[in-house]
Amino acid sequence: MPDSPAVTEAARRRTFAVISHPDAGKSTLTEALALHARVINEAGHIHGKAGRKSTVSDWMDIEKARGISISSAALQFAYGDSVVNLVDTPGHADFSEDTYRVLAAVDSAVMLVDAAKGMEPQTLKQFEVCRHRRIPVLTVINKWDRPGHEALQLMDEVHAKTGLKPSPLTWPVGIAGDFRGVLDRRTGVMIQFTRTAGGATLAHQKVLNPDEALAAHGDAWLTAVEESELLSADGADLDLEAYLDHRATPVLFGSAVLNFGVSQLLDTLLELAPAPGAREDVVGERRAVDAPFSGFVFKIQAGMDSAHRDRLAYIRVCSGVFERGSVVTHAASKKPFATKYAQQVFGQDRQTVDVAYPGDVVGLVNASMLRVGDSLYVDSAVTFPPIPSFAPEHFAVVRSTDSGRYKQFRRGIEQLEQEGVVQVLRSDRRGDQAPVLAAVGPMQFEVATHRMKGEMGAEITLDRLPYSLARRTTREWVQQLDAQSGVECLLRDTDGQWLALFADVWRLGRTQRDVPDAVLEPLVASADL
Ligand code: G4P
């Protein structure tokens, strides 16, 4: 029997995200990948730094002002016979919650490392999410055209900081800043690279056999060969199983700005990275890719630009074929959901999606009943595991500055909560007019304020609360915990969970001593990942 379309299509797909510290070159790499696949004819279209056209993923004023990317979108392009889905991750520390959600939607990750900076804090934090989710990681050492660390030193650092054994697939010929090309360690040839003006076209590369490489590059070639032999002796050759099992990371060297190493990256993703496969549901059963359609919401976003003031729920397709117009079931409510408006979105560019396959990302427009983590299916029911909320560490009471706009205020807060911009906590004592916003990082508050004013037409004030720790508790302990000084219990909107808030570890310790039987369980903290 021939394979079903879902199986065939899943097999030729690769869905991945790039994890990196801001400025490592993620936007440049995205642009280079798209250029390579010839999606975008004019280089610079995606890049969003000052003086250029706006980055497809940089859509909010606040982002533009800071030059960072907060929002997420997915870029899909064909490459040869394959289809690549690049899911954009937010770059800022405060958005680790968002990163967590995005990484729930990919099958592998590319860790982009600046050759001059090595493993930076944000890269590591996002890497921890990959480790936690057991997402295979490919490493790209970027900016090799500029002076940087030694290649062997970088390998040691990657190993020490991630615990993954680096297995370089290519090895640079010439030190950082004197980039001649790479030695393809599996075939022994040199891929020589020639600069093109501005890097706006595909990099010129030429394959040299070892004799030609020696004649052209002398000592630089010999050093690369020697170092490559050292790596082999050290067991650093490719081990596919170790990569998939999160014990090793294949490594490539390149320069995104010069488009060098980009074709190797695409080829490597197709060769090594896992295609969408069966996915475990909440009870541990695996939903095969050829089962009827299923997917889950990993991101909700509204107000992407003034021309499209709407709300998009991004779905990762897990099994079957998504057909626009079909009616799917919303697992949480068991209600039918009509998928009439389905789009592929990358920044301002939107296209209607008629069919999508496992691994694809679809944006459902105005899907107001959907929340992050929700599952959708056709025929046989499935619920995928929830995407955990992080332990909030910042808390503030939110109020509308204009009591006449209470309706807008309430609706706005509800929307931000559903999108996962902030968590919303409530208690009878505080009342509905003044709920508490909770965040992993304070920048989430800035985004909330900005969006409440700009999109929801409701200006707010925020009064910070002196808490920094949250623990999960249960209804029966609320009264007793509230009676402790410096402790407050609030109910979280998203999951109906009671949280007990404490000023610091010392208060928590004292409460544990004074109310020894109280349920006080830790939540997933970003620091634990
Ligand atoms: P990000 O999305 O990870 O934050 O980084 P982005 O691509 O915006 O790149 C950050 C800076 O690094 C940019 O320079 C970009 O040109 C540069 N860059 C990216 N890849 C390479 C590379 O392979 N080699 C070199 N030499 N530079 C690279 P910028 O000065 O911030 O802006 P601009 O030069 O683009 O105006």
Side-chain angles (χ1 to χ4, degrees):
M1 210 173 67
D3 283 336
S4 72
V7 170
T8 322
E9 292 294 329
R12 67 188 194 104
R13 276 167 165 70
R14 296 295 181 275
T15 301
F16 76 104
V18 176
I19 59 170
S20 62
H21 196 84
D23 260 1
K26 191 175 67 174
S27 317
T28 311
L29 180 68
T30 304
E31 180 183 339
L33 288 166
L35 170 78
H36 231 86
R38 297 184 191 282
V39 167
I40 291 172
N41 304 325
E42 178 198 0
H45 187 71
I46 289 187
H47 205 289
K49 291 289 159 72
R52 302 215 193 152
K53 285 190 191 171
S54 108
T55 302
V56 281
S57 50
D58 284 2
W59 51 269
M60 274 169 45
D61 300 347
I62 187 169
E63 275 185 288
K64 282 181 192 148
R66 286 166 184 262
I68 58 163
S69 167
I70 298 171
S71 56
S72 301
L75 173 68
Q76 183 180 68
F77 53 85
Y79 182 64
D81 292 333
S82 304
V83 176
V84 176
N85 291 308
L86 169 51
V87 186
D88 194 16
T89 46
H92 195 276
D94 285 355
F95 287 80
S96 45
E97 276 204 272
D98 255 3
T99 307
Y100 199 97
R101 297 180 192 126
V102 167
L103 291 175
V106 301
D107 301 308
S108 71
V110 167
M111 181 166 79
L112 190 65
V113 178
D114 183 329
K117 303 224 178 102
M119 293 291 297
E120 296 178 87
Q122 276 308 300
T123 321
L124 212 55
K125 211 163 173 185
Q126 297 183 28
F127 169 77
E128 290 303 332
V129 178
C130 294
R131 192 212 306 270
H132 193 73
R133 301 197 68 91
R134 305 201 63 74
I135 298 167
V137 177
L138 272 170
T139 300
V140 172
I141 307 289
N142 190 31
K143 305 197 187 182
W144 201 256
D145 57 295
R146 279 215 307 229
H149 297 311
E150 277 179 30
L152 285 170
Q153 186 191 336
L154 282 163
M155 295 305 95
D156 285 346
E157 196 187 344
V158 167
H159 195 178
K161 296 248 167 95
T162 65
L164 301 185
K165 177 97 183 161
S167 328
L169 302 176
T170 61
W171 194 250
V173 178
I175 57 167
D178 176 30
F179 195 15
R180 323 269 185 101
V182 291
L183 160 65
D184 181 334
R185 296 190 58 235
R186 289 186 291 173
T187 59
V189 301
M190 176 173 175
I191 304 163
Q192 181 182 266
F193 139 76
T194 324
R195 271 170 196 269
T196 54
T201 53
L202 297 188
H204 287 302
Q205 48 186 58
K206 189 174 156 196
V207 176
L208 304 184
N209 69 33
D211 292 338
E212 292 165 336
L214 180 62
H217 299 285
D219 282 351
W221 170 253
L222 287 178
T223 305
V225 172
E226 254 169 48
E227 288 181 342
S228 174
E229 282 165 3
L230 266 176
L231 289 166
S232 297
D234 187 37
D237 292 344
L238 174 68
D239 177 344
L240 181 60
E241 220 170 287
Y243 157 63
L244 296 175
D245 194 33
H246 224 265
R247 287 178 284 119
T249 178
V251 182
L252 295 166
F253 286 78
S255 166
V257 84
L258 299 172
N259 293 311
F260 189 78
V262 175
S263 60
Q264 282 98 332
L265 173 58
L266 281 168
D267 293 339
T268 305
L269 276 167
L270 297 183
E271 184 194 342
L272 306 180
R279 188 170 271 258
E280 259 188 27
D281 68 9
V282 74
V283 291
E285 271 172 36
R286 293 167 74 77
R287 178 125 170 154
V289 285
D290 60 351
F293 164 78
S294 69
F296 65 90
V297 180
F298 67 94
K299 170 116 197 108
I300 290 185
Q301 205 164 68
M304 302 234 340
D305 64 51
S306 45
H308 304 275
R309 270 280 152 79
D310 50 16
R311 183 172 180 277
L312 276 154
Y314 290 96
I315 315 287
R316 143 94 193 207
V317 180
C318 297
S319 67
V321 181
F322 169 87
E323 287 174 73
R324 188 171 67 86
S326 63
V327 177
V328 302
T329 306
H330 176 228
S333 63
K334 299 279 181 259
K335 284 194 180 141
F337 179 85
T339 59
K340 194 166 155 198
Y341 301 104
Q343 297 184 328
Q344 234 179 37
V345 182
F346 200 59
Q348 269 86 22
D349 297 334
R350 294 181 174 211
Q351 287 171 345
T352 296
V353 169
D354 289 318
V355 280
Y357 300 97
D360 289 348
V361 170
V362 176
L364 296 178
V365 182
N366 288 334
S368 56
M369 81 201 292
L370 300 182
R371 292 179 172 221
V372 168
D374 279 1
S375 303
L376 298 172
Y377 60 82
V378 165
D379 294 342
S380 53
V382 64
T383 300
F384 293 106
I387 303 175
S389 295
F390 277 65
E393 289 165 25
H394 302 268
F395 305 87
V397 179
V398 58
R399 289 187 184 85
S400 171
T401 53
D402 178 354
S403 55
R405 302 189 70 77
Y406 181 65
K407 220 166 80 188
Q408 286 86 341
F409 169 79
R410 217 187 49 201
R411 212 181 298 135
I413 295 292
E414 193 182 303
Q415 182 166 328
L416 295 184
E417 184 262 326
Q418 287 177 0
E419 285 179 40
V421 173
V422 283
Q423 298 177 28
V424 180
L425 314 178
R426 297 176 194 275
S427 66
D428 288 346
R429 189 154 57 106
R430 291 196 177 271
D432 259 4
Q433 312 265 346
V436 171
L437 301 188
V440 176
M443 223 183 104
Q444 284 171 257
F445 290 150
E446 264 185 66
V447 174
T449 308
H450 178 85
R451 294 201 39 199
M452 284 294 285
K453 183 176 173 196
E455 279 166 43
M456 329 286 181
E459 277 194 58
I460 55 170
T461 55
L462 288 171
D463 293 314
R464 296 294 288 264
L465 293 172
Y467 305 123
S468 70
L469 266 179
R471 286 287 183 273
R472 199 190 316 251
T473 187
T474 53
R475 177 94 193 82
E476 56 185 330
W477 293 103
V478 167
Q479 204 178 356
Q480 233 175 311
L481 290 170
D482 268 343
Q484 306 291 309
S485 85
V487 184
E488 177 171 358
C489 293
L490 292 161
L491 192 63
R492 183 159 66 186
D493 272 8
T494 7
D495 52 4
Q497 176 68 57
W498 279 98
L499 301 185
L501 312 185
F502 303 88
D504 48 36
V505 188
W506 184 81
R507 286 268 181 217
L508 170 65
R510 215 189 56 183
T511 308
Q512 280 167 325
R513 222 174 36 241
D514 294 348
V515 197
D517 295 331
V519 175
L520 290 172
E521 292 165 359
L523 296 125
V524 181
S526 52
D528 297 342
L529 288 173

